[in-house]
Amino acid sequence: MTFSTFCRRAGVALLGALFLTSCASVTALEPGPYTYDKAMTIQVGETWTKYPRVNRTKSQGLTIDGSALNTLSLTAKLKAGAPLIYTLDREKILPVFGSDMLLGEVAEFTLDSLSFIGMQNTTLTELTPDQFGDVEAVRFTFTGDVASGLSYQGMAKAAIHDEQLYLILYYAPAEYYYGLHEQEVQTIMDSATIL
Amino acid sequence: MGTVGQVHRQIVAGALVMKHLLFKSFIAGAMLIMMSACVSTRTVATTNEFKALEKDAIIVLMEPDVQLSFLRAAGMREVRADWTETGRANILKQIETSLAASDHTIVEFQSGGDVARENQLIRLHEAVGSTILTHRIFRAPLPSKKNKNDWSLGPGVQVLKGENNADYALFLYARGAYASAGRQALGVLVAVAGGGAIGTGDQQAFASLVDLNSGDVVWFNVAMTGQGTDMRKEEGSASLVKAILKGFPLRGEDK
């Protein structure tokens, strides 16, 4: 998919609406404990910008420097059959979560999902067992790039609990921005628990 | 498209989509002035620590990231390599001319060999510039930044210092679209019929001055022009460059 194709699909009207309607719902998340959707707790050490929760994907986006420069996404209680991402193209068949997925398959599902919002050439670089509080989890890192050629790095922590997906996903340009808040994100992931 | 719910979903689901939307916001802003030939500029003052050198700074002029398109009657943009090359050359020449009278040394960027890293820095500038544009020009909220304008490309920019051990790098990103005769006619017809304005071309650019030690963006400016200017032509590119360099902090006596 080319840059211009992406732009055409997005549309000027959408952006205008975005700016006009989302402002009131975009707030600061100050350092301290944060409970997301009564389902997950994390400990935040820096001030983040917090976007509204998306009901369909059970996700909430956070950023510090701007979404193109660092994005942290929290997902809790995503049920089987639901997509992790959302696009305006209704003809796209999006990857959906399956409650019978192995944790390694969740990593692949995550990267497949990212490809639908413009992350290309994704590669899983590390996959290790982890804990999401008391729940068995997986932590993985990955690389990818966008149409402009800018390379991204990412890391994520995922668990399946009560047949629902819990995921903390972070990605940022590999040049400078990934490392800028990497320790903060590590701390957030280490502190995460499922309620 | 464009219900509130959809918009909110888009925010969370698509940070990468957002990046591309930023470009569209650029276009949207330009549309507001598309019917005029005037040039609109807006400078973002950095909150990074920055004291401009009075003279003898070495400024690396990065190759302008220019892309010019043919705007078809149906509104589709088709990138034209020949126009892009002409526009890039015009912009480069105009910048060099404009800064020639300053008390500083302007050098064109020469690759130091790490081409992949250098390209990443140019791409990162596009992402950072688009972010500044969105949150400081179009004022999309970003409460985590509060009132700070402290964006940076990071110390990795030192690979751009080159043999001259340059102090700063000047990045420029420009996009332009020029309508077909059919679309221009359509624009007239729609306007005559009271149907509002149809975009018949626009030019937008942003430029950043980057400290090559810290990577901090120490100056940022954006310029948008209507259909009356054309960077494929010498006068049009001169007009755009004059606008984009307004307030440039290292121009010396020419400032």
Side-chain angles (χ1 to χ4, degrees), chain A residues 40 48 59-62 70-75 84-85 106-107 109-111 113-114 117 119 132 140-142 153-158 166-172 178 185 188-189, chain B residues 12-13 15-16:
Chain A
M40 174 197 300
W48 291 75
S59 299
Q60 179 169 62
L62 307 170
N70 34 53
T71 287
L72 181 70
S73 175
L74 308 176
T75 302
L84 184 61
I85 54 98
V106 169
F109 161 65
T110 303
L111 299 196
S113 298
L114 286 174
I117 55 169
M119 184 83 83
F132 212 125
F140 57 94
T141 58
F142 60 93
Q153 274 184 266
M155 66 171 135
K157 181 173 181 172
Y166 294 76
L167 175 71
I168 302 175
L169 172 66
Y170 173 72
Y171 49 88
Y178 181 80
V185 175
I188 288 172
M189 289 185 178
Chain B
V12 178
L16 296 174

Side-chain angles (χ1 to χ4, degrees), chain A residues 3 7 10 12 15 18 27 47 49 51-52 54 60-61 63-65 71 86 90 117 148-149 151 171 175-177, chain B residues 6-9 11-13 15-16 20-21 23-25 28 117 120 123 131 134 140 142-145 151-152 154:
Chain A
F3 181 84
C7 291
V12 175
L15 193 83
L18 186 155
T27 57
T47 301
T49 291
Y51 291 107
V54 179
Q60 179 169 62
T63 185
I64 292 178
D65 300 295
T71 287
Y86 179 83
R90 293 178 182 275
I117 55 169
S148 73
S151 298
Y171 49 88
E175 180 67 43
Y176 183 56
Y177 279 93
Chain B
Q6 284 174 326
V7 167
H8 286 175
R9 288 183 197 105
I11 296 172
V12 178
L16 296 174
H20 295 287
L21 287 175
F23 174 74
K24 272 313 218 186
S25 71
R117 183 82 183 274
Q120 284 301 300
R123 301 278 78 82
T131 300
T134 299
L142 189 65
S144 49
K145 278 283 187 193
W151 278 276
S152 179

Side-chain angles (χ1 to χ4, degrees), chain B residues 133-148:
Chain B
L133 193 71
T134 299
H135 296 291
R136 292 298 180 256
I137 304 295
F138 293 104
R139 298 188 178 279
L142 189 65
S144 49
K145 278 283 187 193
K146 297 189 172 67
N147 296 319
K148 292 183 293 184

